């Protein structure tokens, strides 16, 4: 059982009641950003009023950003030393949140892209697997430090039928095994089509439960929300063993 009172890291999540049934299934998997069992250290979850798939992923809302800032300031006053969010599309708010808060802010696993790009050999590219390619825009990438000369290939999951229930039939249950196969198939297809890919970054915080399967299938480094949380934890002196995920 985590001691939430001792948590130094807060995770800003969607509003209570705004998570559809299908996504709640994915949130129950170890490795998901909103599952306490995904972490080897205490974290504190904070539900943000108005935050949902529409206001974060489809049409980023300034009101949601304002609520994030207000709630984060309260959390910092209660001892939180790092602020993160539970959806990679919050990358679009990275600069505003960082400017407004006096602690490190990690909005998205996409923040790892410049780091990954720095260790790849010339000519190599980084593959991003995202929940919805059409919603991931240049503004998101610029906000996390991606520049035009960095080679980034983006692959969306929305063309995978089972996964796409998130958007078309969100209150239906998933076949989680089928979702896992779709995620791995997306990575395998990416490498087949772009053999210069040297690593993967998973945008979506529902994807880390499948990172191990991707690594085994493509034999390449895979970075996700959990790898970023390990950096965040160690940066403020939290002892953690992230090797089990």
């Amino acid at each position: 059982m985590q001691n939430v009172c001792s948590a130094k890291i807060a995770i800003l999540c969607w509003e209570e009641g705004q998570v559809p049934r299908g996504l709640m299934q994915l949130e129950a998997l170890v490795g998901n950003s909103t599952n306490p069992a995904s972490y080897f250290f205490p974290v504190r979850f904070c539900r943000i009023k108005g935050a949902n798939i529409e206001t974060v992923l489809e049409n980023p809302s300034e009101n949601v950003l304002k609520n994030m800032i207000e709630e984060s300031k309260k959390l910092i006053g209660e001892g939180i030393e790092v602020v993160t969010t539970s959806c990679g599309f919050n990358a679009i708010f990275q600069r505003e949140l960082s400017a407004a808060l006096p602690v490190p802010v990690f909005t998205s696993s996409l923040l790892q892209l410049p780091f990954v790009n720095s260790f790849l050999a010339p000519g190599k590219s980084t593959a991003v697997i995202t929940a919805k390619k059409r919603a991931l825009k240049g503004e998101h990438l610029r906000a996390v430090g991606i520049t035009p000369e960095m080679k980034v290939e983006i692959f969306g999951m929305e063309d995978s039928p089972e996964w796409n229930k998130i958007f078309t039939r969100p209150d239906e249950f998933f076949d989680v095994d089928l979702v896992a196969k779709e995620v791995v198939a997306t990575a395998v297809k990416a490498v087949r089509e772009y053999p210069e890919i040297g690593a993967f970054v998973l945008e979506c915080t529902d994807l880390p439960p499948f990172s191990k399967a991707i690594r085994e299938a493509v034999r390449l480094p895979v970075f996700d929300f959990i790898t970023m949380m390990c950096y965040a934890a160690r940066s403020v002196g939290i002892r953690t063993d992230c090797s089990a995920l």
Side-chain angles (χ1 to χ4, degrees), residues 4-241:
V4 175
C5 293
S6 67
K8 295 182 179 181
I9 299 178
I11 303 175
L12 308 182
C13 305
W14 289 358
E15 183 177 1
E16 190 74 36
Q18 294 294 307
V19 182
R21 185 182 300 176
L23 272 181
M24 290 176 68
Q25 242 186 311
L26 296 180
E27 288 187 354
L29 301 178
V30 175
N32 190 285
S33 65
T34 54
N35 186 341
S38 299
Y39 309 102
F40 299 93
F41 44 86
V43 296
R44 183 169 173 180
F45 297 103
C46 178
R47 298 287 178 181
I48 301 299
K49 185 177 180 180
N52 54 48
I53 195 167
E54 173 64 26
T55 59
V56 173
L57 192 152
E58 301 286 1
N59 294 291
S61 165
E62 289 297 319
N63 286 332
V64 169
L65 172 60
K66 179 182 176 182
N67 292 341
M68 285 181 174
I69 292 171
E70 290 178 355
E71 291 300 323
S72 295
K73 287 181 177 178
K74 293 177 187 176
L75 292 164
I76 292 165
E78 296 168 2
I80 288 297
E81 297 181 19
V82 173
V83 172
T84 70
T85 84
S86 68
C87 177
F89 279 87
N90 283 309
I92 203 162
F93 299 137
Q94 176 66 37
R95 292 173 179 170
E96 290 86 350
L97 284 169
S98 293
L101 303 177
V103 300
V105 176
F106 296 81
T107 57
S108 174
S109 60
L110 296 175
L111 286 163
Q112 297 167 106
L113 277 168
F115 166 64
V116 174
N117 179 77
S118 71
F119 69 68
L120 293 178
K124 290 287 187 179
S125 63
T126 308
V128 171
I129 299 181
T130 179
K132 190 173 186 179
K133 181 177 179 178
R134 289 184 287 276
L136 187 60
K137 299 180 170 63
E139 297 96 309
H140 295 90
L141 300 181
R142 287 191 291 272
V144 297
I146 301 303
T147 57
E149 64 271 15
M150 295 181 187
K151 293 189 65 178
V152 178
E153 305 290 348
I154 299 175
F155 303 89
M157 288 295 303
E158 66 265 36
D159 293 328
S160 299
E162 194 68 15
W163 175 272
N164 199 47
K165 287 181 181 179
I166 292 175
F167 306 109
T168 59
R169 290 171 286 167
D171 284 317
E172 285 191 18
F173 286 119
F174 287 107
D175 181 331
V176 175
D177 290 337
L178 184 52
V179 169
K181 290 177 181 177
E182 289 178 341
V183 173
V184 172
T186 298
V188 170
K189 182 180 178 183
V191 172
R192 186 167 61 244
E193 293 181 355
Y194 295 86
E196 69 274 17
I197 288 172
F200 281 81
V201 174
L202 309 184
E203 169 275 319
C204 182
T205 55
D206 296 311
L207 291 176
F210 313 113
S211 290
K212 183 175 182 289
I214 294 173
R215 291 186 188 102
E216 292 174 349
V218 299
R219 301 296 178 182
L220 290 172
V222 178
F223 297 81
D224 57 25
F225 183 79
I226 299 301
T227 61
M228 183 182 72
M229 287 291 279
C230 289
Y231 308 149
R234 298 300 283 268
S235 74
V236 293
I238 298 173
R239 295 184 63 186
T240 178
D241 177 10

